[in-house]
Amino acid sequence: MLSFPPEFDAAAYRSSYADLAGLRRSELKQHWRQEGRRGRRNATALESRDDLLRYLQPAGHLLEIGPFDNPSLEPLRGPGLQIDYADYLSRAKLVERARLRPERNPEAVPPIRYVLSEGGYDQIQQRYDAVVSHHCLEHQPDLIGHLLQVAGLLKPAGVYLFTLPDQRRCFDRYLPPSGLIDVVTAHLERRSRPPLQALVEHKCFTVTDWLQAPNPLDGVGLPTRALLEAALEEYQAHPYVDVHCWKFTNERFRRLVRQLVALAYLPATTSLRTYNLGNDFAAVLGFTPEP
């Protein structure tokens, strides 16, 4: 059975931030709950995504979704561990795509056991100790449907470990955050493609420099109108345009999971741990009772 570090470690939290040095343990925990997690502070000894992935080493079967040319599980490979990969495209098509982009490495594309464009998740009969994805969840048109599909791929006590961009620290910085109504509506519609709104947001109102760029909504004009019309044309011309469908912070995602459990869209036994990791946050989501 896989075991993950607690979200809050008082000693690690105190040692990481000089302004917390004089707080007692109870004060540290209160600070983390009320300010620290919301402010992107990290309350564990984890410093990177790789630190968290090492907790998967006792697993026997792992699946990574959407690795492209950067599979994160390869450092774990060893005797007794089976690692599989699933992606929307075949390895040959991923290699072809990588060769067109100088920042990509075609040689690093792993074997793709499951081509999701040719059978979806229903083709996967193996059950896994953990399913892993990075910057994948925010692209799913039906977030609830995706989580339930992954839940069906897990062994008892298995987990879904994924990382998401913190909306405040990526090109989505000025876009409205996603909430319960948005997520439930997409599920009720059985949405299978990003909506027009997501395409409009991405093409017209994201920023390349999230740290210094001004809010695009403060400078709209005729050039923006041209971008809007181009976004509509692209949406109408293509059955699927891959953009961010969802924008979250750690706190907003935690709240969403609690709401989905309350509405029985996720099992009552759902458990969630989250960790702030720089511009991303990581989540470990389980669907069966924790020991």
Side-chain angles (χ1 to χ4, degrees), residues 221-265:
L222 291 180
T224 311
R225 174 65 181 268
L227 291 174
L228 291 168
E229 293 175 353
L232 175 61
E233 291 178 4
E234 185 173 359
Y235 179 80
Q236 293 173 333
H238 301 280
Y240 195 103
V241 180
D242 186 26
V243 294
H244 283 188
C245 298
W246 312 109
K247 290 83 62 180
F248 294 117
T249 64
N250 186 331
E251 281 294 291
R252 286 186 176 275
F253 185 78
R254 292 178 64 85
R255 183 185 183 197
L256 173 68
V257 170
R258 290 196 298 268
Q259 292 169 326
L260 294 179
V261 171
L263 291 170
Y265 283 113

Side-chain angles (χ1 to χ4, degrees), residues 50-67:
D50 290 341
D51 288 344
L52 182 58
L53 290 175
R54 291 190 187 100
Y55 286 86
L56 299 177
Q57 285 180 323
H61 297 85
L62 297 176
L63 171 68
E64 182 170 354
I65 299 171

Side-chain angles (χ1 to χ4, degrees), residues 100-123:
L100 298 175
R101 300 170 63 176
E103 75 277 13
R104 295 294 186 177
N105 179 9
E107 303 303 319
V109 177
I112 304 300
R113 181 175 180 181
Y114 307 109
V115 181
L116 299 178
S117 60
E118 301 176 0
Y121 291 97
D122 292 339
Q123 66 186 291

Side-chain angles (χ1 to χ4, degrees), residues 61 63 82 84 86 113-114 116 119-128 149 152-155:
H61 297 85
L63 171 68
Q82 175 184 325
D84 294 325
R113 181 175 180 181
Y114 307 109
L116 299 178
Y121 291 97
D122 292 339
Q123 66 186 291
I124 303 177
Q125 300 302 311
Q126 173 71 54
R127 293 299 173 257
Y128 294 91
Q149 285 177 318
L153 304 179
L154 296 172
K155 295 179 182 179

